[in-house]
Amino acid sequence: MAGFHARIAHRFGRSEPRDRALDHLAGLLAPLERKNGWMLAEQVGQLRPDGVQRLLNLSDWDEDAVRDDVRDFVVETIGARDGILIGDDTGFLKKGTQSAGVQRQYSGTAGRTENCQIGTFLAYASSKGRALIDRELYLPVSWTDDRERCRTAGIGDEVPFATKNEHFKWMLQRAIDARVPFAWVTADEAYGQAKHLRSWLEERRIAHVLATKVNDTVITAGWAEVRVDELIATLPRQAWKRISGGQGSHGERIYDWARVAIQPVWENGFGHWVLARRSVSDPSKIAHYVCYGPVGTRLKDLVKVAAARWAIEESFQAAKMECGLDHYQVRLYRAWYRHITLAMAALAYLTALRAREAAKGATLTTNTSSYP
């Protein structure tokens, strides 16, 4: 951990917050039931959480620069040219009305409307592992229309209302500007149904597989506008192929998959498809995706990208269970970003350790298999 901390140490203006950041990271990685201020303070021998709160609320350090360091570390440890960027959001249940961005709103994490904050995230996945590399706090209109309330929570007047799709674009653009190696982008239907997002990606020739709703419409090769579910319904039985989407928590994710080419004009060596995923046990359950990628893209390539979306769910789970992503007790806007960034750093460190151990195992397997 000391070596990893040294990578970000220069982002802290003084020795005290620099040392506290190391303690904080160690606490986030410790086997504690809860990783709130009191528990983290106790872990490092402090009687009160004042130091933890000061690190998150008042200390002089650049959380966005640390975010960039975390992203660069992830790229160094698990980066690959065929990497996949994944967008999604997750909820943080809260009490009261003072935490930045909190209100009663739908949380996919809870599966219902709750009093919560919503964070939007960008994850990076490759064959070597997965980790979170960027984050934004969603501020509902009820907040951005009340600038006095925003100021009380430390939200500057320059911070605008932005949709989760706009957050996704911001995070993708930062990854592009940083030359993060990736081949595809994926996200669930909350993002994929937004035609402006798909157009934004196509303008930049960014290959993507985005889930969408059954009533979303596309333009067919014959210039007709049709719903994606109606288009998939016209496919013959032999169009469906049973393909594994990889290992899940309950075994292999095996589905029937099919695709159909759309759009009358393909340009710049890129093509367009609608992809469908059908449940083996219940064929009436079909998920739909709008896809854009190199013309030589195969069905199994699209399946691989669609299935990679689960990597961000697994990242959320690991970050919350192992790194205290949702254990914070802060109300201020900037403090939220600071805690989340340090939790992302802890997750990146764990990801690097696991990638290294996996590589050792692969090396050992390769070496021993050469012997009789």
Side-chain angles (χ1 to χ4, degrees), residues 148-159:
E148 186 57 39
R149 186 187 188 194
C150 283
R151 293 183 198 111
T152 301
I155 304 168
D157 290 349
E158 76 282 359
V159 179

Side-chain angles (χ1 to χ4, degrees), residues 7-8 49 57 125 134 247 261 269 287 301 320:
R7 298 175 63 102
I8 64 174
N57 288 303
D134 209 340
Q247 287 290 330
D301 299 326
K320 290 179 178 182

